[in-house]
Amino acid sequence: MTARVGVFGLLGSGNLGNDGSLEAVLGYLRAEHPDATVSAFCGGPAVVSARYGIEATRLNWYVDEYRTASSPRAVVLKALGKLIDIGRTAAWVRRQDVVLVPGMGVLEATLPLRPWGFPYALCLLSVAGRVLGTKVALVGVGADRITVPATRFLLRQAARLAAYRSYRDELSRTAMAEMGVAVPGDAVYPDLAFSLPVPAVPEDPRTVGVGVMAYSGSDDDRAEGDRIYRSYVDAMTRFVRHLVELGRPVRLFIGDRIDTEVTDEIRAAVASPLVTAAPSATLEELMTEMAAVGTVVATRYHNVLCALKLGKPTLAIGYARKNDVLMAGMGLGGFCQQARAVDVARLITQFEELERRGPQLRETLAERNEENEQRLKHQFAALSASLFPASEVR
């Protein structure tokens, strides 16, 4: 019989990295399981249905789930939604043979995250899967230490109850082990986005790609969010202005639609025709735009990943340990800074060294990318062996 496969997550909600992970999994399903019937339980069902041609259902009953409740009515509706979503999630899971959670940092709280938002939804998914006999797979996901007890509990339970787990780096597997999840049978593979195709686009070596983010700290930094945001944007603006003073064209990239506020602010502050912005709506569009630049400086994880996948000498202005791990694994561990405290003078020095070593770094990236593609073939083969034995499809 035809396998019924669900995909789950904050997909179609404006985050290009999340949608890129979905694209990687859909590519795998179409290549290895072309008869599978695929549907989504996701944040942006209209976008997912229109873009990928699959049936999609809204993840939460309450449409403003991920906005701060600003009135007593909103508080009541959010609470009611938690109860309604138990039945909605179970009903959707019951219709699937397998549910895939494709990549994404679903087991981390490196950016502001409320426990009763997505962590609650993910826990509901795993509980429903266990009760109803539907296999839930966390495929190539990211994880990190979590300090908020409620968030840690919900994500730990979600991971424990999953039928299959793999991680995008050793940092993630170690973090889950420290949280009490048994990980000896869990494998580590490269991020799913490394399996996406590379666009063939002419490169202008003088153009610098700068990926920015509406960054205001981690889940533990809510009280300092405005200061962190201002410090980060000011630093990135100074760096872009430095490049313009050298006569270098700059192409600004985003990784989420909320990042456009930063690109708008930088362009207004620098006020130069050398600075343009790429209005990318998908990871494929981002990679096409990024393929045309010579060097990349970026913040969001999947901006950095796309640059590395394209073989670009890359400098990461990271917001979490995962950025450093990614860069080290690709041979560029010395080209990192932290987004919460960017040292612009050091950034300029690092950028100059990055360009001097460009040819050597491109060779290293080509080798690592080939290794990643081979390892992801093993990931998809392992996934098929674990989740799609023909005798178990209902």
Side-chain angles (χ1 to χ4, degrees), residues 61-394:
W61 173 80
Y62 182 49
V63 295
D64 291 327
E65 173 62 39
Y66 296 101
R67 296 180 182 176
T68 301
S70 56
S71 68
R73 179 177 181 275
V75 172
V76 171
L77 288 174
K78 273 199 171 189
L80 178 61
K82 303 304 176 197
L83 298 176
I84 294 174
D85 284 341
I86 295 173
R88 292 178 68 254
T89 302
W92 181 79
V93 169
R94 186 189 297 274
R95 298 195 296 270
Q96 317 303 324
D97 296 304
V98 175
V99 175
L100 307 180
V101 181
M104 307 179 285
V106 296
L107 300 176
E108 63 182 55
T110 53
L111 295 174
L113 180 70
R114 301 291 188 186
W116 303 111
F118 185 76
Y120 175 77
L122 185 64
C123 190
L124 280 186
L125 170 71
S126 290
V127 170
R130 180 60 64 94
V131 171
L132 298 171
T134 298
K135 293 181 178 180
V136 172
L138 308 181
V139 186
V141 298
D144 205 344
R145 291 191 299 256
I146 299 171
T147 59
V148 177
T151 303
R152 185 171 60 247
F153 171 79
L154 290 167
L155 293 182
R156 180 174 62 237
Q157 293 305 110
R160 282 176 169 172
L161 293 172
Y164 176 93
R165 296 181 298 269
S166 64
Y167 306 101
R168 65 187 177 192
D169 50 40
E170 187 59 45
L171 167 70
S172 299
R173 182 166 64 177
T174 300
M176 294 313 296
E178 291 173 351
M179 286 168 54
V181 176
V183 301
D186 299 352
V188 174
Y189 298 100
D191 189 280
L192 294 172
F194 276 114
S195 69
L196 295 173
V198 173
V201 176
E203 175 185 301
D204 175 8
R206 281 188 50 76
T207 300
V208 182
V210 178
V212 296
M213 176 180 180
Y215 176 71
S216 57
S218 71
D219 205 38
D220 300 325
D221 296 322
R222 291 179 183 272
E224 294 188 274
D226 290 343
R227 180 194 63 78
I228 292 171
Y229 175 87
R230 186 75 269 144
S231 174
Y232 167 78
V233 174
D234 287 349
M236 298 307 291
T237 301
R238 288 170 57 198
F239 178 65
V240 170
R241 184 176 288 115
H242 166 76
L243 294 173
V244 168
E245 289 171 353
L246 296 176
R248 300 290 295 272
V250 176
R251 189 72 162 153
L252 298 176
F253 301 122
I254 63 170
D256 192 295
R257 62 189 175 201
I258 65 173
D259 301 335
T260 54
E261 65 185 74
V262 181
T263 64
D264 291 346
E265 187 169 345
I266 291 175
R267 291 181 69 192
V270 178
S272 168
L274 288 174
V275 182
T276 57
S280 307
T282 67
L283 204 67
E284 180 182 8
E285 291 178 4
L286 173 66
M287 290 182 72
T288 300
E289 291 279 355
M290 197 175 279
V293 308
T295 310
V296 176
V297 178
T299 298
R300 280 199 182 270
Y301 181 84
H302 279 95
N303 268 205
V304 174
L305 187 150
C306 284
L308 298 171
K309 168 70 175 175
L310 291 164
K312 307 293 182 181
T314 303
L315 207 161
I317 311 294
Y319 58 87
R321 293 189 296 167
K322 62 184 179 183
N323 297 65
D324 296 339
V325 170
L326 173 63
M327 290 288 284
M330 296 297 287
L332 281 82
F335 296 98
C336 300
Q337 280 207 41
Q338 299 305 307
R340 62 181 301 114
V342 181
D343 182 335
V344 178
R346 178 168 169 254
L347 177 58
I348 291 170
T349 300
Q350 288 178 301
F351 180 76
E352 291 170 349
E353 181 184 357
L354 184 73
E355 293 211 308
R356 281 197 303 270
R357 293 180 53 192
Q360 171 198 344
L361 295 174
R362 287 174 185 268
E363 291 180 4
T364 300
L365 290 172
E367 295 171 0
R368 302 295 168 88
N369 278 317
E370 176 60 28
E371 293 171 5
N372 286 341
E373 289 179 15
Q374 295 304 315
R375 290 174 60 199
L376 281 169
K377 290 179 181 179
H378 291 297
Q379 159 71 104
F380 292 135
L383 194 62
S384 291
S386 177
L387 301 180
F388 294 100
S391 61
E392 295 187 17
V393 175
R394 294 197 293 260

